[in-house]
Amino acid sequence: MKNLGLSYALWAGWLIGFSGLHRIYNGKIGTGLLWLFTGGLLGIGQLLDLLLIPSMVDEENANIRAKLGISATGVPQHYQGQIAEVLVKETPEQLTVKLLKAAYNRGGKLSVTQGVMATGATFAEVEATLRELLKTGYVSIDNDPATGIVIYDFHEL
């Protein structure tokens, strides 16, 4: 990664006749050579670069990160989705509590789809959690007489 302090130090090379070194360092080879052979566009471009150096460093660092596949936070981009998934992943206990609240709001009865809508979990996660509750005896399973949808009945609610 490029360093802001070093960029300013290279900019100061102008004082001894080496203009544009900061531009070459920050990946702007063409304009760096132009600055080198023209004295930093007769000093005007060199002076303007005092204000532009921070953005040059940021831009070059972003280019380096993009080439390496690293995000701005320093995490490889191919891991970003996995890290986000781990950060949002609920514990089974948290999912169970959300399902209980959803069932309570629906009179003690809950379908898998309603559980997914209420919790944001996947169908597989909701169904697995409801099946675990079924094994404990806190929940029974039935079909809705009108639609045939599988309904989990929470007896205590």
Side-chain angles (χ1 to χ4, degrees):
M1 301 306 283
K2 302 300 180 174
N3 183 293
L4 183 62
L6 181 56
S7 289
Y8 277 115
L10 290 171
W11 176 90
W14 173 53
L15 301 173
I16 58 170
F18 294 105
S19 303
L21 295 178
H22 63 287
R23 285 186 160 269
I24 294 169
Y25 172 72
N26 286 301
K28 299 189 178 304
I29 308 297
T31 56
L33 292 174
L34 179 65
W35 261 235
L36 185 62
F37 295 122
T38 64
L41 294 177
L42 303 175
I44 297 169
Q46 192 74 15
L47 288 174
L48 285 174
D49 279 353
L50 268 177
L51 301 173
L52 299 176
I53 286 176
S55 63
M56 278 188 226
V57 171
D58 289 344
E59 181 182 337
E60 181 61 11
N61 285 339
N63 289 338
I64 291 170
R65 280 192 300 273
K67 286 178 187 173
L68 295 175
I70 298 173
S71 74
T73 59
V75 176
Q77 290 177 345
H78 63 279
Y79 288 125
Q80 290 286 38
Q82 294 171 6
I83 289 171
E85 184 178 314
V86 168
L87 292 175
V88 227
K89 195 95 170 152
E90 291 182 320
T91 65
E93 292 80 17
Q94 290 171 320
L95 181 57
T96 300
V97 169
K98 284 185 175 182
L99 289 170
L100 285 169
K101 288 179 181 177
Y104 177 78
N105 291 334
R106 290 178 172 75
K109 298 185 184 297
L110 189 68
S111 72
V112 174
T113 304
Q114 291 167 334
V116 169
M117 290 175 58
T119 64
T122 66
F123 280 92
E125 291 169 329
V126 169
E127 189 168 20
T129 303
L130 289 171
R131 288 188 187 271
E132 284 300 314
L133 288 170
L134 183 64
K135 290 177 188 176
T136 63
Y138 289 111
V139 176
S140 65
I141 193 168
D142 200 5
N143 290 78
D144 184 277
T147 62
I149 295 173
V150 175
I151 300 291
Y152 291 85
D153 188 5
F154 292 73
H155 308 291
E156 296 178 10
L157 300 179

